[in-house]
Amino acid sequence: MKNVLNKIKRVYDLSEEALSLLTSRLRLVNFPKGYILFEEGRTEKYAYFIERGIARAFCRKDDKEITFWFGSEGEMLFSYNSYISAKPGYETVELLEEAILYEVSLSDLQELFLNNLELANWGRKLAETELIKTEERFISYQFTPAIQRYEELLNSNPDLLQRVSLGQIASFLGVTQVTLSRIRADFR
Amino acid sequence: MKNVLNKIKRVYDLSEEALSLLTSRLRLVNFPKGYILFEEGRTEKYAYFIERGIARAFCRKDDKEITFWFGSEGEMLFSYNSYISAKPGYETVELLEEAILYEVSLSDLQELFLNNLELANWGRKLAETELIKTEERFISYQFTPAIQRYEELLNSNPDLLQRVSLGQIASFLGVTQVTLSRIRADFR
DNA sequence: ATCCTTTTTTAACATTTGTAAAAAGAAAAG
DNA sequence: CTTTTCTTTTTACAAATGTTAAAAAAGGAT
């Protein structure tokens, strides 16, 4: 549970009591490589902490898929619409490796948030840090050319190339796979 | 205070007590058109509710400005880095019209969050709704061509054209002003 | 090792978008 | 009303990216 506990504490430091309130609701689960954890259009009932493995979130349009997020050890998985508004999600989440996750039901989380001040603030911090990450990525998207975003992505995530395909990275960067190939060729 | 109260309640419904705890920390302030409310690199001490007026947030790079957000009546203004981590902000916020705002100090907000369960959950919901909006915009950015994003922007914000310049809208859409002109020409 | 499947790169061409500069239009100032 | 300034559109050309298809490379399975 090392990676998960690390994540929980990094979000917002909890007392022993609050921490065990939260962890008592976690359930260890395993899934095979390729498993579809969340499906677009479905209202999900659980969120997950990644103890081991890597996942991607994507949306479908026409016959294309756009990957807009990668997450690995020590990160959380949720379908934002389900988590935040109990509405059908707009994203599909696929596990790209055999994975060890900790599952928590969204109703348990809600109940904890509404009854425990520390955990409510933990939930606040969780959303806030995700918010900053998302907005920074959005801004860098408009400012930074794909070449540079590619380098930065690999710097902050050196093992990504070994774990996910270039097609998925290309769509994450917002270019076609052909363009990413050209970028990589220039890069050498 | 109509627009502001509306916003507060839309985020998360508060009891009378919690609501007055929050509103008692608000202070009415006025600023002229063109006023720079937040400045890139500065750690801001306040957040604002917009009662009347419209603002934009932008980042500078080289000699370009990229507008990545517009906000008007019933929305909040904060420098995310200051609000979330008490660190210097990466964005500049400019008021595009004479504005009536309600100011609240970030330290007051923090104190309320740490002491009141309802307000902590209000703060959580606030971050969560901002998070969903940001992520949806990020996704639509990758999926939707500029022409369509332009139409959607005007649909959801019919008076925007009267309130901000096309140059700012172009940079918000992630294209040059020349491209936006072409889009508008095709559109007719 | 060989075959089969999947992933990645390369090529040629079309389309889109950017750049720079000029022209047209609109708004503000005298 | 005229001049000045700022905003928006248009033009011509250059650069970047998308599309489609084929070739090359890499990974798995037998």
Side-chain angles (χ1 to χ4, degrees):
Chain A
M1 214 173 177
K2 178 172 145 288
N3 287 327
V4 170
L5 289 176
N6 235 308
K7 161 70 175 178
I8 294 175
K9 285 175 183 163
R10 231 180 320 126
V11 169
Y12 182 80
D13 205 34
L14 293 171
S15 67
E16 282 301 322
E17 301 90 287
L19 181 63
S20 69
L21 260 178
L22 177 55
T23 55
S24 70
R25 311 294 176 107
L26 300 184
R27 195 170 74 90
L28 184 65
V29 288
N30 290 276
F31 294 104
K33 174 175 176 169
Y35 185 80
I36 301 294
L37 192 64
F38 299 147
E39 178 83 50
E40 201 171 338
R42 215 161 64 187
T43 303
E44 305 296 340
K45 301 218 171 337
Y46 299 94
Y48 298 87
F49 292 85
I50 306 177
E51 179 61 29
R52 171 72 213 158
I54 188 166
R56 70 174 180 122
F58 63 94
C59 288
R60 278 185 260 261
K61 181 136 178 182
D62 307 324
D63 52 346
K64 278 177 288 185
E65 287 179 358
I66 294 192
T67 297
F68 61 91
W69 182 85
F70 292 110
S72 58
E73 288 80 10
E75 302 203 57
M76 283 195 73
L77 287 162
F78 17 47
S79 172
Y80 279 146
N81 257 347
S82 303
Y83 174 64
I84 294 174
S85 341
K87 284 194 285 201
Y90 44 79
E91 71 274 77
T92 299
V93 170
E94 175 190 5
L95 302 177
L96 303 175
E97 294 174 353
E98 200 181 347
I100 304 173
L101 309 178
Y102 283 89
E103 179 181 88
V104 58
S105 86
L106 297 183
S107 59
D108 278 7
L109 268 184
Q110 289 305 318
E111 186 224 310
L112 292 173
F113 290 159
L114 295 184
N115 290 298
N116 184 288
L117 181 63
E118 273 188 71
L119 290 174
N121 277 297
W122 181 87
R124 177 174 62 85
K125 271 291 159 205
L126 177 65
E128 287 175 358
T129 51
E130 293 294 316
L131 174 56
I132 280 225
K133 275 193 268 174
T134 305
E135 171 149 293
E136 279 179 347
R137 202 147 66 80
F138 183 66
I139 292 171
S140 113
Y141 200 91
Q142 301 200 28
F143 265 119
T144 317
I147 316 137
Q148 202 176 325
R149 296 207 315 280
Y150 173 72
E151 295 177 44
E152 288 171 7
L153 180 66
L154 294 196
N155 276 333
S156 66
N157 226 327
D159 56 347
L160 201 67
L161 275 183
Q162 279 71 54
R163 301 178 86 179
V164 319
S165 81
L166 282 177
Q168 291 165 0
I169 291 180
S171 102
F172 179 83
L173 293 173
V175 295
T176 60
Q177 187 168 351
V178 175
T179 300
L180 179 57
S181 258
R182 288 194 269 241
I183 286 170
R184 284 160 54 91
D186 288 356
F187 193 44
R188 275 180 262 127
Chain B
M1 212 168 177
K2 177 171 145 287
N3 288 327
V4 170
L5 289 176
N6 234 308
K7 162 70 175 178
I8 294 175
K9 285 176 183 162
R10 230 180 320 126
V11 168
Y12 182 79
D13 205 34
L14 293 171
S15 68
E16 283 300 322
E17 302 90 287
L19 181 62
S20 69
L21 260 178
L22 177 55
T23 55
S24 70
R25 310 295 176 109
L26 300 183
R27 194 171 74 90
L28 183 64
V29 288
N30 291 275
F31 293 103
K33 174 174 177 170
Y35 186 79
I36 301 295
L37 192 65
F38 300 147
E39 178 83 50
E40 202 170 337
R42 217 162 61 188
T43 303
E44 307 295 340
K45 302 218 173 332
Y46 300 93
Y48 298 87
F49 293 85
I50 306 178
E51 179 61 30
R52 170 73 214 158
I54 187 164
R56 71 175 180 120
F58 63 95
C59 288
R60 279 183 261 262
K61 182 138 180 181
D62 308 323
D63 51 347
K64 278 178 287 184
E65 286 180 359
I66 294 191
T67 297
F68 60 92
W69 183 85
F70 292 111
S72 58
E73 289 79 10
E75 302 204 57
M76 282 196 73
L77 287 162
F78 17 48
S79 172
Y80 279 146
N81 257 346
S82 304
Y83 174 65
I84 294 172
S85 341
K87 284 194 285 201
Y90 43 78
E91 70 274 78
T92 298
V93 170
E94 175 191 6
L95 303 178
L96 302 175
E97 295 174 353
E98 200 181 350
I100 304 173
L101 308 178
Y102 283 89
E103 178 182 89
V104 59
S105 87
L106 297 183
S107 59
D108 278 7
L109 268 184
Q110 290 305 318
E111 187 224 310
L112 292 173
F113 290 159
L114 295 184
N115 291 298
N116 183 289
L117 181 63
E118 274 188 71
L119 290 173
N121 277 298
W122 182 86
R124 177 175 62 85
K125 270 291 158 203
L126 177 64
E128 288 175 358
T129 50
E130 292 296 315
L131 174 56
I132 280 226
K133 275 193 268 177
T134 305
E135 170 149 294
E136 279 179 346
R137 201 144 69 80
F138 184 67
I139 292 172
S140 112
Y141 200 91
Q142 301 200 30
F143 265 119
T144 317
I147 317 139
Q148 203 176 325
R149 296 208 316 280
Y150 173 71
E151 296 178 43
E152 289 171 6
L153 180 65
L154 294 197
N155 275 334
S156 66
N157 227 326
D159 56 347
L160 200 67
L161 276 182
Q162 279 72 53
R163 300 178 86 179
V164 317
S165 82
L166 282 176
Q168 292 166 359
I169 292 179
S171 103
F172 178 84
L173 293 173
V175 295
T176 61
Q177 188 170 349
V178 175
T179 301
L180 179 56
S181 257
R182 288 195 268 242
I183 286 170
R184 284 160 55 90
D186 289 355
F187 194 43
R188 276 180 261 129

